[in-house]
Amino acid sequence: MKYDAVKHPKHYLLSDGTEVKDHINSIVGEMLGRSAWKAANVIKYVARADKKNGL
């Protein structure tokens, strides 16, 4: 996937070129409500942790 600062920002692209949101959708797609929201946020932050300067 091509980098685009608005539609495909670098901090949401994984090393294989896929986007975090695609992985989130495949994992939490069947979940409902707050459970899906909480799981999605955990995945999002863990996937981007290495791009946060170790913070």
Side-chain angles (χ1 to χ4, degrees):
M1 179 162 303
K2 187 177 180 214
Y3 163 73
D4 177 309
V6 175
K7 294 182 181 178
H8 307 287
K10 285 183 182 178
H11 60 276
Y12 282 112
L13 291 176
L14 300 174
S15 60
D16 65 356
T18 61
E19 289 192 61
V20 174
K21 69 179 182 177
D22 296 327
H23 294 276
I24 290 171
N25 289 334
S26 70
I27 294 168
V28 302
E30 299 295 319
M31 298 172 81
L32 299 173
R34 286 185 72 85
S35 295
W37 179 81
K38 290 176 184 178
N41 277 301
V42 168
I43 296 165
K44 179 176 65 173
Y45 288 107
V46 169
R48 298 185 314 147
D50 63 333
K51 298 177 184 190
K52 298 272 189 183
N53 297 322
L55 300 175

